[in-house]
Amino acid sequence: MSPSSTPPESTIQTAIGLHPAHDALGHRPGRWIDNWNPENHVQWEGGGRAIAARNLKWSIFAEFLGFVVWQLWSIVVVQLPAAGFTFDTGQIFWLISMPSLVGATLRLPYTFLVPRFGGRNWTMISAALLLIPAIALGVAVGNPETPFPAMLLIAALAGFGGGNFASSMSNITYFYPQSQKGWALGLNAAGGNLGASVAQFAVPIVITLGAVGSLNLPFAGFIWVPFILVAIWGAWKYMDNLSNAKADFAASAAAVREPHLWILAVLYIGTFGSFIGFASVFPKLIADQFPTFSSFAVGSASLSLAFLGALVGSLARPAGGRLADRFGGALITVAAFGTMAVGALLVIWTLTLGNFWAFLASFLVIFVASGVGNGSTYRMIPSVFAARSGVTDAHRDSGDVGTQRKTAAALGVISAVGAYGGFIIPQVLGLSKTATGDYTSAIYGFVGVYVVMMAITAFVYLRRGSSVGGHRI
């Protein structure tokens, strides 16, 4: 066949079932992709799945480091007395909770910055911002004369890491079809959440390796700098910007006016807020209640078992998303809140026994349940907004572009509100300790909250007569 008789590319694409006007991706400089539609089966199987997976991998790594930096102070504060610092109980709990307060507040603007700069570009910027709190922490903790206000400011800067979650999750939700959002978002979140566990595992080891007479506490911040640089490079090299990822102010205003956004935000305080709040304060709780078990010798290094809480909670999150994909997020969330209430009651019981291993096991029940609840509650969000848009099957149909943009905006708002639990829980526990000398009254309060949230979830999303009845939310 002569070159002049060769069928044009568009004819070949049509013959194999690919319609360029609707299915073909457009690529522009700066790694921008046009015409992205993961619900289009031909596009998804013709390369879209691989693109989404590549972006997910680097998103997870960058978000992981965000959580590392966000949670560094949770384990560093336990080491401050040995490094020569003399802060009181109230000051210690402020250092623990300040990163969560700032991180939660940053999550809302971070959601808008993805559509403004592009997912790939903002991942590079947000990762670069992590260098500031990591280096500042390393400098500050090397001098016991560093005043408390300076330490509190540096702890606040660690909130940059908390903001990363909202932008990362908002970005990834555009890459995956509705039927796979639970699993993809669960993996993305779990990979990030693991950063809390790794920080609490690695810091006690790193700061004691090679130390003679004192801790190498500055290494708690400096050790992460090379990894942050790799994340910046990886986002630049392998991630993409989607031109249709636009969570504009109109969509956000519409999302905020939706009553279900605020219901879901309250539920997310109960699940994610509990996870990040207890993860932040767990090393301090162990050090206070069981000081002889606060660390274990591993050769010449120390190891804190506090990392196990954030670890099991993180690993449980994608399971919660997968279960929600199969059974519906509301049902799994109800079960998660019930289990968290039982776990909290077990913690109170173990505190009276004074048994560390029973205490640890009881808290791990809370962490696992909160992790499952994180995944299932987050999976509920796109389903609820799809149901409110009038689709037939909200569990599988994400709705039109307008609904998807409103959903993306809602994800950012809800993740921001939920993260305030990371501030509330340490503060409530600190007040309980100051006022009564123990943590029991605060934990009883958490039990009551979990029971109420379980009832709200069942009434609003599982009741037949609810506004989203008939959908598998």
Side-chain angles (χ1 to χ4, degrees), residues 137-374:
L137 183 149
V139 173
V141 299
N143 179 12
E145 300 301 319
T146 304
F148 176 73
M151 297 284 277
L152 191 62
L153 174 61
I154 296 169
L157 292 174
F160 283 142
N164 286 9
F165 179 87
S167 55
S168 179
M169 296 293 273
S170 179
N171 182 43
I172 291 302
T173 192
Y174 283 104
F175 277 96
Y176 281 85
Q178 181 78 344
S179 61
Q180 298 183 38
K181 274 185 170 62
W183 179 241
L185 293 174
L187 280 178
N188 192 55
N193 293 171
L194 277 171
S197 177
V198 170
Q200 293 174 354
F201 173 81
V203 166
I205 295 175
V206 169
I207 64 176
T208 52
L209 286 176
V212 179
S214 63
L215 299 175
N216 291 322
L217 199 52
F219 284 6
F222 295 148
I223 190 65
W224 307 108
V225 171
F227 298 99
I228 295 170
L229 294 175
V230 171
I232 298 169
W233 173 83
W236 170 78
K237 180 73 173 178
Y238 295 108
M239 292 187 72
D240 301 286
N241 302 305
L242 300 181
S243 60
N244 69 324
K246 298 187 180 300
D248 54 31
F249 285 100
S252 298
V256 168
R257 289 193 298 268
E258 170 58 61
H260 283 276
L261 179 146
W262 300 107
I263 297 172
L264 290 165
V266 169
L267 299 181
Y268 203 57
I269 291 175
T271 55
F272 178 77
S274 291
F275 166 78
I276 199 64
F278 283 127
S280 298
V281 81
F282 200 36
K284 174 64 173 170
L285 293 181
I286 293 176
D288 283 354
Q289 299 299 126
F290 303 95
T292 58
F293 290 92
S294 61
S295 63
F296 296 83
V298 181
S300 61
S302 288
L303 173 67
S304 169
L305 293 183
F307 82 94
L308 290 174
L311 176 64
V312 298
S314 302
L315 295 178
R317 180 158 190 158
R322 178 59 65 89
L323 289 169
D325 282 340
R326 182 172 181 180
F327 300 107
L331 183 63
I332 303 303
T333 300
V334 167
F337 279 130
T339 306
M340 290 165 68
V342 171
L345 288 172
L346 289 174
V347 167
I348 295 172
W349 174 63
T350 60
L351 285 175
T352 61
L353 287 179
N355 186 297
F356 169 74
W357 300 108
F359 170 83
L360 178 64
S362 300
F363 246 113
L364 293 184
V365 170
I366 298 176
F367 277 110
V368 170
S370 67
V372 169
N374 289 346

Side-chain angles (χ1 to χ4, degrees), residues 61-148:
F61 183 58
E63 191 189 339
F64 163 82
L65 292 170
F67 266 83
V68 165
V69 172
W70 198 23
Q71 293 302 301
L72 279 179
W73 284 91
S74 70
I75 190 68
V76 166
V77 296
V78 180
Q79 313 294 335
L80 290 178
F85 291 87
T86 56
F87 298 137
D88 61 34
T89 299
Q91 290 174 320
I92 289 294
F93 274 98
W94 268 105
L95 290 175
I96 292 172
S97 58
M98 182 56 77
S100 290
L101 177 62
V102 175
T105 305
L106 286 178
R107 285 187 171 195
L108 190 56
Y110 267 47
T111 301
F112 293 108
L113 293 172
V114 167
R116 175 65 180 83
F117 291 95
R120 170 223 185 213
N121 296 345
W122 181 247
T123 301
M124 293 167 56
I125 296 169
S126 60
L129 288 173
L130 299 177
L131 293 170
I132 300 172
I135 294 172
L137 183 149
V139 173
V141 299
N143 179 12
E145 300 301 319
T146 304
F148 176 73

Side-chain angles (χ1 to χ4, degrees), residues 383-450:
S383 296
V384 168
F385 277 82
R388 298 287 282 175
S389 73
V391 301
T392 303
D393 183 0
H395 192 68
R396 295 189 176 278
D397 187 350
S398 58
D400 58 19
V401 173
T403 300
Q404 293 179 42
R405 289 179 179 175
K406 188 160 66 172
T407 298
L411 290 169
V413 174
I414 291 169
S415 73
V417 176
Y420 281 108
F423 172 78
I424 294 169
I425 285 180
Q427 286 295 311
V428 170
L429 288 167
L431 288 173
S432 177
K433 180 71 171 178
T434 301
T436 67
D438 61 40
Y439 299 110
T440 303
S441 58
I443 299 173
Y444 270 124
F446 297 144
V447 172
V449 169
Y450 296 147

